[in-house]
Amino acid sequence: MAYLVYLDENDVSQKEVSLPFEKKPHPDFEVLGSCRGFILLLRHPQFLVVWNPLTGFSKRISYSHIVRRLKYQGFRLPYSMNLHGFGYDASQDDYLVVVAYRDYERQEDHLECLSLRTNSWINLDAVLPRPLDWFDHNSCGLFLNGAIHWVPSCLKDHRDAILIFDLKERTFSRISAPGQLPISECLFPCLALLGDCLSLYCHNYSSHTTEIWVMKEYKVHSSWTLYQIPCKTFQPLCLSSNCDIIGKGHPFSDKKGYLIYNVRGDLLKHFKNLYCPIRGADAVYTESLLSLPSDIKDKDKKNKRKAGCTYSPCFATRYSC
């Protein structure tokens, strides 16, 4: 099952939606990320599906060539990948799926990119970070400012903690974590997008809080700002229209369900009766009427034969979880 959950202080609703699968999906299907109104799904076996829930459009892509190359039939996203991400390259008007993985038999690292404009996989020559094993095998990237961002599952140092892959330049760079971050107490750090700002959060079990560090100015280290939420299992998702923090608690805690806190850490709303997945099979996305570039091309060809009308995409600016 899949649900669209709308959350704000004054607007709360949910509805069940049909997944874009021709057949009943395998129970292990995954939500791998979102970008500009499209959600990236994993469809067993060895398929990715790009889906726009608002328009119903979907596109299926195979990654079976990677399985054949590795000769490992147990290979599957996301668990066999060290890094994966979904983003948009504005310079080429192209949506890209980026994956990095290690061939342990040959002791080689691979970086590949799927272009949804050309419907083809490309081997990239960018130098991968070492060691790649520092990144969790379910490390979904966060898309922001034309780049995909990842953080290791275990921080070793504040310096160069966040890995960035620029989709236009096809190069890696890094951002340092805030120096005040207590690395020894920061377990399983994660990234979130809060009000178009890169955010790093972790659960501090000694203080029973979730520490959320927000980079107010992109790539400006001095702009890291700390917010503390008095819930040790809080997962921030997005900001409300009033700039409060919307997130969810662990399903087996006393604060299960969705919660809204202000930046001072005061609990404003607690929604216990909305659908909230036990594991991370979810994505935050902005509704959009956009089509994929390859889909627009096909429509334009058909329209030219008929009459010659133009296609004008637009965005709906409402957050969904």
Side-chain angles (χ1 to χ4, degrees):
M1 296 186 297
Y3 289 88
L4 298 182
V5 180
Y6 300 91
L7 287 170
D8 211 335
E9 276 94 345
N10 303 312
D11 185 9
V12 178
S13 65
Q14 72 176 18
K15 65 176 180 179
E16 186 175 352
V17 291
S18 298
L19 290 164
F21 302 141
E22 295 178 0
K23 299 178 181 179
K24 184 178 180 180
H26 190 278
D28 287 338
F29 83 91
E30 300 279 348
V31 180
L32 299 183
S34 70
C35 179
R36 301 178 87 229
F38 294 100
I39 294 177
L40 182 66
L41 302 170
L42 169 73
R43 173 71 163 93
H44 183 84
Q46 301 168 13
F47 283 101
L48 300 172
V49 178
V50 179
W51 175 42
N52 185 328
L54 184 63
T55 65
F57 169 84
S58 64
K59 184 182 186 69
R60 191 175 77 162
I61 309 108
S62 171
Y63 63 91
S64 58
H65 70 289
I66 300 177
V67 180
R68 289 195 299 270
R69 175 189 299 155
L70 295 178
K71 299 178 182 179
Y72 171 44
Q73 294 302 315
F75 181 96
R76 64 181 289 252
L77 276 163
Y79 305 107
S80 302
M81 295 291 179
N82 294 92
L83 301 172
H84 67 275
F86 181 38
Y88 176 70
D89 178 5
S91 68
Q92 301 295 323
D93 186 27
D94 195 5
Y95 293 84
L96 304 173
V97 178
V98 177
V99 297
Y101 57 94
R102 182 157 185 78
D103 183 343
Y104 288 97
E105 183 176 328
R106 298 181 179 88
Q107 293 298 300
E108 296 174 347
D109 292 332
H110 295 274
L111 178 67
E112 294 198 32
C113 175
L114 167 67
S115 164
L116 293 178
R117 172 176 280 280
T118 63
N119 296 316
S120 60
W121 287 89
I122 307 164
N123 258 311
L124 300 178
D125 295 328
V127 178
L128 280 162
R130 298 291 181 89
L132 196 58
D133 288 343
W134 280 12
F135 292 88
D136 182 37
H137 283 261
N138 193 12
S139 188
C140 180
L142 177 77
F143 176 70
L144 172 66
N145 289 344
I148 300 175
H149 304 68
W150 296 273
V151 65
S153 56
C154 181
L155 288 178
K156 305 290 185 181
D157 196 344
H158 298 96
R159 293 174 298 174
D160 301 333
I162 299 172
L163 180 67
I164 306 170
F165 182 71
D166 188 293
L167 295 179
K168 177 183 177 182
E169 302 298 332
R170 310 288 171 90
T171 56
F172 285 102
S173 61
R174 290 182 180 268
I175 293 177
S176 294
Q180 303 92 326
L181 184 73
I183 287 183
S184 60
E185 299 173 354
C186 184
L187 303 177
F188 305 108
C190 298
L191 298 177
L193 185 62
L194 299 179
D196 294 326
C197 292
L198 179 67
S199 304
L200 171 67
Y201 71 93
C202 62
H203 307 303
N204 190 325
Y205 288 95
S206 62
S207 63
H208 300 280
T209 62
T210 296
E211 296 192 1
I212 304 175
W213 290 88
V214 179
M215 182 172 265
K216 295 293 186 69
E217 295 182 56
Y218 187 60
K219 291 188 177 182
V220 178
H221 185 74
S222 60
S223 71
W224 282 115
T225 303
L226 173 63
Y227 301 104
Q228 289 184 308
I229 303 299
C231 173
K232 64 182 180 181
T233 60
F234 184 71
Q235 177 190 341
L237 297 173
C238 57
L239 293 187
S240 72
S241 58
N242 294 330
C243 293
D244 296 313
I245 303 172
I246 299 174
K248 65 178 185 176
H250 194 278
F252 300 114
S253 72
D254 59 339
K255 291 185 178 176
K256 63 181 179 181
Y258 297 98
L259 309 112
I260 301 180
Y261 285 91
N262 63 22
V263 294
R264 296 184 299 274
D266 302 319
L267 179 61
L268 303 179
K269 295 283 181 69
H270 188 182
F271 306 103
K272 300 179 181 180
N273 299 321
L274 297 174
Y275 178 75
C276 190
I278 294 178
R279 53 198 180 97
D282 53 12
V284 180
Y285 87 111
T286 304
E287 290 183 326
S288 164
L289 293 174
L290 290 174
S291 295
L292 293 175
S294 59
D295 188 49
I296 294 174
K297 281 183 179 180
D298 294 339
K299 287 181 179 178
D300 285 344
K301 289 179 182 178
K302 293 178 181 178
N303 290 336
K304 284 180 181 179
R305 295 191 194 109
K306 292 180 180 179
C309 62
T310 58
Y311 177 80
S312 178
C314 63
F315 269 114
T317 58
R318 194 180 186 192
Y319 283 109
S320 302
C321 304

